[in-house]
Amino acid sequence: MKKKKLIRVFSTVCLFFLLSTILAFSPPAPHDTIVKITLLQINDVYEITPVSGGKEGGLARLATLRKQLAAQNPNTFMILAGDLFSPSALGTAKVDGARLDGKQMVEVLNAAGLNYCTFGNHEFDLKEQPFRQRLSESRFTWFSGNAFDRNQKPFPNVKENVIFTVTNASNQTARIGMIGVTMTKNKPDYVTYLDPLEAAKKQAQALRGQVDILIAVTHLPLEDDVKLAQTVAGIDLILGGHEHENVQVWRGANFTPIFKADANARSAYIHQLTYDVETRRLQIDSQLQPITDKIPEDPETGQVVQRWVDLAFGAFKTMGFEPGQLVVNSPVTLDGRESTVRNYPGKLTDLIAEGFLNAAPGAELAICNGGSIRIDDELPPGAISEYDIIRILPFGGNVVSVEMRGRLLKQVLDQGRANKGTGGFLQTARVSWSEEKGDWLINGKPLDQRRNYKAAINDFLITGNEQGMDFLNRKNPDLRVINENVMEVRRALMAQMQKEFGQKK
Ligand SMILES: [Zn+2]
């Protein structure tokens, strides 16, 4: 009996081998040396819902794209080149007594199937405790070769680099290495940085010989990505972020490709890597894929998005806002990008400053710090909702009516000018700089340092916490507060938009 059973098992095993041999020898070729890898790249993602009035972006749509790509090639990986924890309007909502601070983003990206991520400068907007909490909530793999904790050790759950292996149907493998570096401009006391280029060089050397394909995932200004391509040998592909506009350039002796997608997943890059394990040849085909309302939402991810939107909108409602409410139909593009609002006035900043001015009776001028505008995005012509207003000025606060001595006003405006390029750059109404006179003009007249001016200003600016403006505080004898709370800053902006663009219907 025992013997017979054994024989039957043996013959079954034989049949199995015979069958699997036949199967293995049927197409595809017995010895397929080609390994295909699909990378889905996004960068600078602040919103979980679609942007541009619902037309572009949306992480539930991105999740659908990821599933479609994975159905074509199981070796599909989604990579984010930094900036996800902050800033976002939803992140400022207080739920159960704590700011969301990117919690909504991590959960949505977990659901959408993000695999790998490196730090952007905005990750370090968070205080240390929520920052560490977000890392622990991430189901994707963090890696960084140049951003470490205060003791120069990697943060928990963060690797210095990544190596993973992909396999094709013929069991041929390719080893992929990834290094990650971040620009060093945002530095709270809990982080230490190494120089990004030095760190990239060190990590690339550490992976040399261990990987077949080397990818740098970076969050750097483009000129630094170019330096990386020119100075660090052996990098096959640079997936970058920070620019917010899509970029596709080839630089360095080996024409290393550098790619960046549009912010807020308005587009994603799809990179098809074809690696021949025999010839060791790598071919990269990259395609910029717009994420639009033509892509259906993935229901699972969509549910997670909706849950966080409901929670955050509930919090905004308790603050007296109706996030879904239309404010105006804007006839023009409103540019709220940091590169604009921290350097120049524009239509959006004029609306804010004029809104302050008109809110405060008798004000001769208005001042607002560029850093209070956090949307870092362009709002195209069309519907502007109360949620968009919260996106523009997420910190809120009050317009304060003050009287300030001319000499203090000059000191403030001079410092604002010196702060160009940072959040301390000032946006103003009825203030201009005369190159010819080398002085400030208030309503077209030279600033008189001896007289008092009535100004509308946001409450943050008179705390003394703005860069180089510790003197601008309530104890300064040249400053007198007339009205602490003329109007909430976002209400002032909404009123101004309706005044200029017409009441909503
Ligand atoms: Zn950035």
Side-chain angles (χ1 to χ4, degrees), residues 44 83 121 219 242:
D44 304 84
D83 273 7
N121 51 307
H219 194 90
H242 192 61

Side-chain angles (χ1 to χ4, degrees), residues 323-380:
Q325 182 84 40
L326 178 77
V327 180
V328 283
N329 275 304
S330 168
V332 292
T333 297
L334 298 174
D335 184 355
R337 291 173 301 172
E338 278 184 6
S339 53
T340 304
V341 301
R342 296 180 173 209
N343 287 290
Y344 322 96
K347 184 65 205 167
L348 177 63
T349 61
D350 286 352
L351 281 164
I352 294 168
E354 286 289 325
F356 285 14
L357 187 84
N358 287 324
E364 299 162 88
L365 67 126
I367 305 173
C368 175
N369 58 315
S372 64
I373 304 159
R374 298 306 274 241
I375 184 168
D376 207 5
D377 196 5
E378 284 183 310
L379 289 167

Side-chain angles (χ1 to χ4, degrees), residues 101-413:
D101 270 340
K103 191 179 178 71
Q104 78 289 357
M105 184 62 72
V106 169
E107 284 215 4
V108 169
L109 288 169
N110 283 342
L114 179 65
N115 298 95
Y116 296 103
C117 187
T118 198
F119 296 124
N121 51 307
H122 280 305
E123 268 56 90
F124 303 104
D125 291 350
L126 266 53
K127 296 204 165 69
E128 182 171 10
Q129 195 271 336
F131 170 81
R132 285 173 178 266
Q133 185 107 25
R134 295 300 89 82
L135 291 181
S136 73
E137 289 158 359
S138 305
R139 293 211 301 265
F140 39 90
T141 302
W142 284 95
F143 61 103
S144 175
N146 83 315
F148 300 102
D149 72 8
R150 50 164 66 79
N151 302 315
Q152 289 207 36
K153 296 272 182 306
F155 288 104
N157 273 347
V158 182
K159 299 179 171 198
E160 284 189 61
N161 55 54
V162 167
I163 302 179
F164 63 99
T165 301
V166 292
T167 308
N168 73 4
S170 302
N171 232 10
Q172 300 293 308
T173 58
R175 299 162 304 170
I176 298 172
M178 289 198 294
I179 60 175
V181 285
T182 303
M183 60 196 288
T184 60
K185 88 167 186 184
N186 192 4
K187 197 191 166 313
D189 61 359
Y190 64 83
V191 60
T192 50
Y193 290 112
L194 302 181
D195 174 76
L197 291 184
E198 290 299 317
K201 203 173 280 177
K202 188 179 139 194
Q203 293 298 329
Q205 269 162 9
L207 293 185
R208 191 155 297 154
Q210 295 186 62
V211 298
D212 303 306
I213 301 167
L214 182 60
I215 299 167
V217 181
T218 66
H219 194 90
L220 300 170
L222 183 59
E223 61 261 33
D224 289 348
D225 281 309
V226 169
K227 276 186 207 151
L228 180 65
Q230 287 168 341
T231 57
V232 180
I235 298 174
D236 295 298
L237 176 61
I238 298 174
L239 309 182
H242 192 61
E243 243 73 26
H244 290 207
E245 306 296 320
N246 68 76
V247 170
Q248 177 181 19
V249 295
W250 285 260
R251 289 292 184 278
N254 297 316
F255 298 102
T256 308
I258 305 167
F259 294 104
K260 308 188 186 207
D262 294 281
N264 278 325
R266 284 183 288 123
S267 69
Y269 252 110
I270 301 169
H271 307 286
Q272 306 279 8
L273 278 58
T274 308
Y275 181 71
D276 189 326
V277 296
E278 228 158 59
T279 65
R280 303 178 63 82
R281 252 187 58 118
L282 172 68
Q283 192 190 321
I284 303 170
D285 290 309
S286 300
Q287 180 204 336
L288 186 68
Q289 172 68 53
I291 308 293
T292 68
D293 48 9
K294 291 202 180 85
I295 303 175
E297 295 198 340
D298 170 59
E300 274 166 67
T301 306
Q303 255 177 26
V304 182
V305 169
Q306 196 53 50
R307 201 177 126 242
W308 286 104
V309 168
D310 290 346
L311 278 170
F313 277 24
F316 293 140
K317 280 180 185 168
T318 63
M319 294 157 61
F321 289 97
E322 278 300 330
Q325 182 84 40
L326 178 77
V327 180
V328 283
N329 275 304
S330 168
V332 292
T333 297
L334 298 174
D335 184 355
R337 291 173 301 172
E338 278 184 6
S339 53
T340 304
V341 301
R342 296 180 173 209
N343 287 290
Y344 322 96
K347 184 65 205 167
L348 177 63
T349 61
D350 286 352
L351 281 164
I352 294 168
E354 286 289 325
F356 285 14
L357 187 84
N358 287 324
E364 299 162 88
L365 67 126
I367 305 173
C368 175
N369 58 315
S372 64
I373 304 159
R374 298 306 274 241
I375 184 168
D376 207 5
D377 196 5
E378 284 183 310
L379 289 167
I384 305 286
S385 66
E386 289 199 12
Y387 178 59
D388 290 322
I389 303 293
I390 300 170
R391 287 176 67 203
I392 294 166
L393 297 169
F395 302 133
N398 295 329
V399 179
V400 181
S401 174
V402 299
E403 200 172 63
M404 65 204 299
R405 189 88 159 168
R407 62 186 178 198
L408 173 61
L409 179 58
K410 178 173 161 48
Q411 208 184 348
V412 169
L413 294 174

Side-chain angles (χ1 to χ4, degrees), residues 423-485:
F425 179 72
L426 299 179
Q427 296 292 351
T428 57
R430 311 299 158 96
V431 175
S432 56
W433 170 257
S434 166
E435 208 57 67
E436 186 191 335
K437 296 198 168 69
D439 201 359
W440 296 101
L441 305 180
I442 309 299
N443 287 299
K445 294 199 191 86
L447 189 155
D448 181 347
Q449 294 203 42
R450 288 157 306 171
R451 65 161 273 207
N452 285 327
Y453 289 90
K454 275 191 178 161
I457 192 165
N458 52 324
D459 55 3
F460 169 76
L461 269 180
I462 54 169
T463 59
N465 288 325
E466 187 52 270
Q467 183 174 317
M469 293 191 207
D470 50 347
F471 56 84
L472 183 54
N473 64 64
R474 286 153 205 272
K475 290 194 183 127
N476 190 315
D478 284 346
L479 182 82
R480 187 172 73 85
V481 172
I482 302 168
N483 185 344
E484 280 285 354
N485 181 9

